[in-house]
Amino acid sequence: MVTPERVLAVLALLVPIVAMLWVGSYDKTGPEAGGVPFFYWYQLLWVPVSAVFTVAAYLLVNRDEKARRAARARKAGGAR
């Protein structure tokens, strides 16, 4: 069953992928940060940002799994 949490988790995982596949958004040299061209530091910035999105997706799926387990337990408890 598709739940809002799972949809948000998929979107959270897609954000970094789309950002890195959209090369036109970072295919330039300026502005520089500490002498490093934009092309490089922008990609490196996405490493921790991707980790944040991945953790958010994990927490959303984990929350959904807990809710599903609780619903199954209630259903099994009521069937006795």
Side-chain angles (χ1 to χ4, degrees), residues 3 5-6 8 12 14 24 29 31 36 40 43-44 47 49 51-52 56-57 59 62 65-66 69-71 73:
T3 60
E5 287 88 358
R6 292 197 181 248
L8 287 174
L14 283 177
T29 55
V36 178
Y40 295 110
Q43 290 181 60
L44 288 173
V47 173
V49 172
V52 169
L59 293 173
N62 196 24
E65 284 297 318
K66 285 181 182 178
R69 273 188 250 123

Side-chain angles (χ1 to χ4, degrees), residues 9 12-13 15-16 45-60:
L13 293 174
V15 167
L45 177 69
W46 273 98
V47 173
V49 172
S50 296
V52 169
F53 277 104
T54 303
V55 167
Y58 168 77
L59 293 173
L60 285 165

Side-chain angles (χ1 to χ4, degrees), residues 2-32:
V2 179
T3 60
E5 287 88 358
R6 292 197 181 248
V7 171
L8 287 174
V10 168
L11 291 175
L13 293 174
L14 283 177
V15 167
I17 293 170
V18 170
M20 290 292 90
L21 289 177
W22 184 26
V23 178
S25 69
Y26 61 90
D27 187 17
K28 52 190 170 189
T29 55
E32 293 186 356

